[in-house]
Amino acid sequence: MFKKKLLWLHKWLGLISGLVVLIVSLTGCLTVFQDELQLITHPEKFFIEKQNLQPSKTVALSKLLSIAEAKLNPGEKISRVDIFPQDNRTWVFRAIKTNKDAFFYSDYFTYYKRVFVNPYTGNVQVVENTKENFFQIVLQLHMNLLLGKKYGHFIVGFSTLFFAVICLTGIVLWWPKKWRPKTIKNSLSVKFKANRKRLNYDLHNVLGFYSLLFALLFAFTGLMFAFPAFKKLVSSELNALDNKEKQKLSLPMIPQTSSRILDNGLDYVLAHHPTADQLSVRLEKDIAEPQTIQVRMKKNRTGIFYGYSFNQKTGQLDELKSSDNLQLGSRVTSLNYDLHVGSIGGIYTKVLAFLASLVCASLPVTGFIIWLNSKQRKLKES
């Protein structure tokens, strides 16, 4: 009786969320390797032309900002800069404005442009309308089904919650009644020579079992993206378990060698992290708010970082964070993106995440076929 109720729940949650899970899983496969694919498909954007002729010192960030904004339409403002310390990479200046109440993707971005600039010469290599970028469309399809943040985000969030429940009920339904060698073999292997119905059933059950841990990880990390309150709860509860008090990092003095506080801050960070993979500068309009520079230390690892917060009036540090100096909950939530896309273990875990996401995409299809076969059988019997 208990399994019968679980089967009912498993079936209907699957039918309700199946299409969304299929779309999110397929787009997730591409999202895993989106950074690598963009570098391969558009080297003219991300790599400097004639790098052997470049001066050794970069142009001041404040000047590069002016150059980048001059390439935008009136009223469009740069809000973020992605800086790459490698001497063969462009710096990426992002101008984004969104309409949070929009229903369709076409209306969600008021504008979204990226300006790719050679930081050594100030030469603008490409101005991209990122709203029309293939990988951006795939990402938005993954996050909100191209239905805008207000509506699509809600649908994806609750479909992810349903998927988590489906995974948990699925393992109970898969669990053999008796752990005998033959039963275990049947539960862990696909009978490729069986008839179509049996083959489909095995693909659903067996592949679902093998992908379970990744599926639950995708669901858990996806829920933290979809529901900030859930992420905050996870962080606070895990922090409460970490009794070891973290020592605050000392705040060094920042040399004010120019009148531009942002330039001084960036010069300091670049000098102290020359081997970093990427720096992200989020530009604050309100001078009362600190200017932040996030330093990603390793490629594709957002969870290994330093975070600098500069006082925009004095140019000195208000706060310095490090991923090595976080409490348990903050540490776990800082790894959320790395866990979600599989980058936490490098290329090997990314490949596993890609394959697991592909399996997750197949589960709604094979599950729907099982339901359809069952419905047809009942119609014949009646």
Side-chain angles (χ1 to χ4, degrees):
M1 182 60 72
F2 175 66
K3 275 198 170 185
K4 191 174 181 180
K5 290 181 178 179
L6 282 185
L7 179 60
W8 181 89
L9 183 63
H10 186 86
K11 176 181 68 177
W12 284 106
L13 288 182
L15 289 171
I16 292 168
S17 64
L19 182 59
V20 177
V21 171
L22 173 64
I23 293 170
V24 170
S25 298
L26 286 176
T27 54
C29 291
L30 280 173
T31 304
V32 168
F33 290 109
Q34 67 170 336
D35 291 337
E36 291 86 350
L37 289 170
Q38 289 197 77
L39 293 180
I40 293 170
T41 55
H42 296 289
E44 74 283 358
K45 296 178 183 178
F46 298 95
F47 294 99
I48 289 173
E49 300 168 346
K50 301 177 183 178
Q51 66 185 74
N52 57 317
L53 302 177
Q54 304 307 324
S56 59
K57 186 173 174 58
T58 60
V59 177
L61 178 58
S62 55
K63 186 173 181 180
L64 293 174
L65 271 169
S66 299
I67 293 171
E69 283 200 338
K71 295 293 183 178
L72 301 175
N73 294 327
E76 296 177 349
K77 297 292 182 182
I78 303 293
S79 56
R80 172 177 164 175
V81 187
D82 295 331
I83 294 169
F84 299 89
Q86 302 87 358
D87 61 6
N88 67 334
R89 292 291 302 272
T90 57
W91 290 6
V92 186
F93 294 75
R94 302 183 186 223
I96 309 172
K97 185 178 180 181
T98 59
N99 176 9
K100 293 181 180 180
D101 293 324
F103 183 68
F104 293 112
Y105 176 73
S106 57
D107 301 319
Y108 178 61
F109 288 110
T110 305
Y111 59 82
Y112 185 6
K113 293 181 180 177
R114 293 192 295 180
V115 184
F116 298 83
V117 181
N118 182 326
Y120 299 97
T121 65
N123 178 52
V124 175
Q125 292 191 186
V126 177
V127 179
E128 173 195 81
N129 185 359
T130 311
K131 184 177 177 179
E132 298 175 355
N133 178 275
F134 170 76
F135 295 100
Q136 180 60 38
I137 293 171
V138 169
L139 180 62
Q140 293 298 319
L141 186 59
H142 182 74
M143 295 194 301
N144 53 47
L145 306 176
L146 302 182
L147 296 177
K149 188 170 183 178
K150 184 175 181 180
Y151 304 99
H153 209 65
F154 176 85
I155 295 170
V156 171
F158 276 94
S159 294
T160 304
L161 179 61
F162 292 168
F163 181 63
V165 176
I166 290 167
C167 289
L168 295 174
T169 55
I171 190 61
V172 177
L173 294 170
W174 170 89
W175 202 265
K177 291 181 180 179
K178 296 181 180 179
W179 285 85
R180 294 173 179 172
K182 186 177 180 180
T183 308
I184 295 171
K185 183 181 178 181
N186 290 338
S187 300
L188 297 176
S189 59
V190 178
K191 298 176 184 64
F192 289 101
K193 293 183 180 180
N195 62 56
R196 289 183 181 180
K197 289 183 180 180
R198 179 66 194 192
L199 176 59
N200 181 75
Y201 182 83
D202 282 352
L203 288 173
H204 188 77
N205 278 12
V206 177
L207 293 185
F209 170 76
Y210 284 123
S211 64
L212 177 67
L213 292 180
F214 266 103
L216 285 173
L217 184 63
F218 293 151
F220 180 75
T221 53
L223 286 172
M224 284 204 280
F225 281 124
F227 302 108
F230 175 65
K231 182 178 180 180
K232 187 176 180 181
L233 176 65
V234 170
S235 180
S236 61
E237 290 299 317
L238 290 179
N239 279 342
L241 299 175
D242 188 358
N243 296 321
K244 187 178 179 181
E245 191 170 336
K246 302 296 180 181
Q247 185 178 1
K248 286 189 176 181
L249 298 175
S250 59
L251 303 180
M253 290 293 293
I254 307 301
Q256 300 301 304
T257 55
S258 77
S259 60
R260 301 282 187 173
I261 285 174
L262 182 58
D263 292 342
N264 296 332
L266 180 61
D267 288 345
Y268 177 87
V269 175
L270 281 172
H272 282 75
H273 302 286
T275 61
D277 177 59
Q278 179 183 336
L279 283 66
S280 293
V281 182
R282 297 184 185 275
L283 303 173
E284 294 290 345
K285 296 178 183 178
D286 188 350
I287 197 171
E289 294 294 323
Q291 177 61 64
T292 61
I293 300 178
Q294 189 92 347
V295 184
R296 188 174 75 185
M297 298 304 296
K298 292 186 178 181
K299 187 175 179 62
N300 295 328
R301 292 295 310 277
T302 60
I304 302 176
F305 69 91
Y306 283 88
Y308 291 82
S309 295
F310 294 90
N311 187 304
Q312 292 198 73
K313 295 179 181 178
T314 65
Q316 298 303 318
L317 282 170
D318 284 341
E319 187 178 25
L320 173 58
K321 291 182 179 180
S322 167
S323 54
D324 294 329
N325 206 44
L326 298 175
Q327 285 187 286
L328 177 61
S330 300
R331 177 68 176 144
V332 168
T333 52
S334 74
L335 292 170
N336 197 54
Y337 180 81
D338 296 348
L339 290 168
H340 193 66
V341 301
S343 62
I344 192 164
I347 187 64
Y348 300 108
T349 49
K350 290 191 84 169
V351 170
L352 286 173
F354 172 85
L355 294 174
S357 188
L358 204 57
V359 171
C360 289
S362 75
L363 297 178
V365 178
T366 53
F368 179 76
I369 294 172
I370 290 172
W371 172 78
L372 200 60
N373 288 335
S374 174
K375 192 174 181 182
Q376 288 174 347
R377 187 183 69 251
K378 288 178 181 178
L379 287 172
K380 286 181 181 179
E381 290 174 356
S382 61

